[in-house]
Amino acid sequence: MALPVFSPSGSRDNDTWEIRIDKEADIVAVRQQVRELAKEYRFDQFAVAALTTAASELSRNVWVHAHQGVSRIRVLRNGNKVGLELEFVDNGPGIADLDRALAGGFSTARSLGLGLSGTRRLVDDFKIDTAPGRGTKVVIRKWKKDY
Amino acid sequence: MPSGSIPILKIGPTLLATIQVELQDTVVDAFQNDVLEEIERSGANGLIIDISALETVDSYVARMLANTGKMAKLMGTETVIVGMRPAVAATLVRMGYFMDGMNTALSLEEGLELQRRRLNSLDGE
């Protein structure tokens, strides 16, 4: 694809990648970095698409609602298992009605209602910490399947 | 001429838009406007959007594509989405987004055939 895999605002530290989100193009940068890593660790094509889509939804949430934040991608190892953990942190307005946001169909200006609820269905673990005025932190994990 | 980075070509009575770039939100927004203007300008009565190069279609892109189809329909043009990858289809349905009401085809060839049959049946009326 046209854009570089490693965003200029990104950095790598051992098995953690960090990409700042402060412009719309960073959604694409996070998406591409997650795709490259998921492929490098040989997730199947369905898991690659799930992780990449989840990264896209969550980084868009940061950009649209908080205008800036940070994404961190970590490689997880548990015995023979390999997983990816994606973390999105912002100091934006936070979510007042979390239950409603997680139920889906809760449409805001650009997130169109499926960002959080849809993402949750794509991953193995989904944690969210948010309150009005306190920003939002979302951590998701997906483990590679052994066939 | 379209202002975005997605080329829109005319093949007979049908417009063909092939998305080959990693989609940024503003590119999708521009594409929607471009394609609607191009329908009016060209008088095309079919639109095919080829997404076979897309490895990721998130809820925003999916909704914009579906809305573009609805807008084209209001103008009198049927849209067919072609070439959706298996992992993209699986991801959208798992998220709960079914792109209801969209015509789809496995490949560009099948999409063109679908549009041709539709036009023939219109001529026969």
Side-chain angles (χ1 to χ4, degrees):
Chain A
M1 293 289 169
L3 292 166
V5 168
F6 290 91
S7 133
S9 58
S11 61
R12 176 179 183 165
D13 175 27
N14 292 323
D15 274 352
T16 301
W17 286 255
E18 186 171 298
I19 300 175
R20 279 200 309 277
I21 299 169
D22 56 17
K23 55 186 180 298
E24 196 206 72
D26 294 332
I27 301 172
V28 174
V30 175
R31 196 192 287 164
Q32 289 182 320
Q33 183 63 77
V34 169
R35 182 186 297 130
E36 287 305 312
L37 276 171
K39 284 183 175 176
E40 186 182 326
Y41 285 92
R42 295 171 185 262
F43 281 78
D44 66 65
Q45 62 163 322
F46 295 94
V48 172
L51 276 162
T52 311
T53 305
S56 193
E57 303 290 344
L58 295 176
S59 46
R60 180 178 295 104
N61 281 355
V62 171
W63 167 241
V64 169
H65 299 294
H67 308 300
Q68 57 182 332
V70 70
S71 63
R72 293 187 189 90
I73 310 162
R74 286 188 196 91
V75 179
L76 306 173
R77 288 188 180 81
N78 184 0
N80 293 331
K81 290 177 75 180
V82 172
L84 280 185
E85 179 183 89
L86 313 184
E87 177 183 296
F88 297 82
V89 184
D90 68 59
N91 291 311
I95 303 169
D97 193 342
L98 186 58
D99 288 343
R100 197 169 153 222
L102 289 174
F106 180 44
S107 175
T108 58
R110 257 185 119 76
S111 65
L112 301 166
L114 282 170
L116 284 180
S117 65
T119 298
R120 197 183 195 180
R121 296 192 195 108
L122 295 176
V123 295
D124 298 319
D125 292 307
F126 178 100
K127 288 197 182 88
I128 184 164
D129 183 13
T130 184
R134 277 213 301 119
T136 302
K137 176 176 169 178
V138 181
V139 183
I140 60 173
R141 287 178 169 185
K142 194 168 180 72
W143 296 94
K144 197 175 137 182
K145 280 195 188 118
D146 301 316
Y147 290 104
Chain B
M1 284 295 287
S3 56
S5 50
I6 298 167
I8 302 169
L9 309 171
K10 192 149 186 270
I11 301 180
T14 300
L15 283 184
L16 168 64
T18 305
I19 303 178
Q20 282 171 319
V21 291
E22 182 81 35
L23 284 178
Q24 205 169 313
D25 292 2
T26 44
V27 172
V28 193
D29 298 350
F31 170 68
Q32 183 171 80
N33 294 342
D34 289 347
V35 88
L36 297 177
E37 284 173 2
E38 196 60 18
I39 289 168
E40 184 193 37
R41 199 192 62 75
S42 65
N45 44 26
L47 169 66
I48 293 176
I49 303 176
D50 183 351
I51 60 166
S52 57
L54 289 185
E55 292 182 71
T56 307
V57 174
D58 64 18
S59 66
Y60 184 74
V61 171
R63 188 71 61 97
M64 288 298 281
L65 289 175
N67 283 352
T68 303
K70 285 174 191 158
M71 291 167 186
K73 187 163 193 152
L74 283 178
M75 294 173 69
T77 295
E78 282 289 336
T79 302
V80 183
I81 302 274
V82 306
M84 187 184 288
R85 294 187 179 197
V88 169
T91 302
L92 285 176
V93 171
R94 281 173 191 153
M95 291 182 84
Y97 197 59
F98 305 102
M99 294 188 83
D100 289 333
M102 289 303 294
N103 302 303
T104 55
L106 267 174
S107 64
L108 176 56
E109 202 174 10
E110 295 206 5
L112 284 165
E113 177 61 19
L114 193 66
Q115 293 288 33
R116 194 189 60 76
R117 280 205 307 269
R118 193 179 54 79
L119 284 177
N120 284 347
S121 71
L122 287 178
D123 287 344
E125 279 171 14

